[in-house]
Each structure stands twice: as C-alpha cells, then as structure tokens.
Amino acid sequence: MTFRVGQIDHVELFVPDRHQAAAWYHEVLGLEIVPEYEHWAEPARGPLMISPDGGSTKLALFSGSPQGDRETAGYHLVAFRVDGPGFMEFLDRLDETPLDDHLGERVTRLKVRDHGKAFSVYFSDPYGHRLEVTTYDVGYVRARIPEGLV
C-alpha cells in the first residue's frame, strides 16, 4: 500500500493584523474563524485559523510581513473551488466588493478565464497574496456568461 495524504489541511499566510485579515476573507470568500482553534491565536505568534468548511480546510493567518508586491518565492496562489451558482454569485458581487489582481487592476467579469474544463477568476488580498475562485461546473457557467465575454 502506498502512503497518501488525505487533503490539504492549511496554508499559512502572513498578515499585519490577523483579525482584520479574517474579516476581509469573511467578506470576500465567506471564511469563518474556526472556534476550536481560536485559542491558538492568543499568543502573539500563534495562527488564527479560518475556514470555508468548518475547519476541514483552513488558512492559518500569522502575524508578520505579507508578501506584498514581491514576486512569489514560495507558493504561487491559493485556489478556492465553488459550484457553478457560487461562481456566478462571486462574479455578481464584484461591483459591491471590488477586488484587484496582483498588478493592481480591477477584477471584472471580463477577467474571467476559460480553461476549457474550468472557469477561474484571479485576484489578490489586501496583503498581496494571490487567490483564485474556480469552478468545474463549466456547462452552468457557460450558459450564463454571454458569448465572447470570456
């Protein structure tokens, strides 16, 4: 039998203020602080764990200098998967929750990338971490995005 991991547990990000960052991730992506690990954030150096799924997959927010506009030296980006309706809802929210990409350009529906078997939108958090929302529900999205928009 070959060893195999079960899933990605967490990705560590450095931010100047963990609770402020958690609030941004909640507003933009719906991530919540995981209550059972919140005590880890009590020491100034511990992580604040946030999650989209009750703690199965997490971002660990540490206090420190974020990536900012430096080129990636470690991971390139974190991608979050949604279903087709979730992808369209994310796009619908871009007017009320403006996001920029890593070049500082506003993210709009025109920035949606059609990968053939998936659709993605790329953006950055306020600290320069590159993020992606992606869906494999191509038929659903293709039926709702006007021809030639992507």
Side-chain angles (χ1 to χ4, degrees), residues 35-86:
E36 67 185 278
Y37 302 115
E38 193 168 6
H39 67 280
W40 287 356
E42 295 300 323
R45 294 177 18 180
L48 180 63
M49 307 299 274
I50 59 176
S51 175
D53 57 13
S56 183
T57 307
K58 300 171 286 299
L59 292 182
L61 303 177
F62 283 88
S63 292
S65 296
Q67 179 178 333
D69 61 2
R70 297 181 310 237
E71 285 299 316
T72 56
Y75 86 93
H76 183 69
L77 63 80
V78 176
F80 298 91
R81 183 188 298 190
V82 295
D83 60 9

Side-chain angles (χ1 to χ4, degrees), residues 90-103:
F90 185 81
L91 294 180
D92 290 343
R93 295 179 60 232
L94 288 174
D95 288 335
E96 66 190 51
T97 309
L99 299 172
D100 294 333
D101 65 16
H102 70 286
L103 300 173

Side-chain angles (χ1 to χ4, degrees), residues 11-28:
V11 175
E12 296 180 359
L13 303 177
F14 289 89
V15 297
D17 182 310
R18 292 169 297 168
H19 284 89
Q20 184 179 48
W24 185 89
Y25 277 92
H26 175 74
E27 178 184 343
V28 173

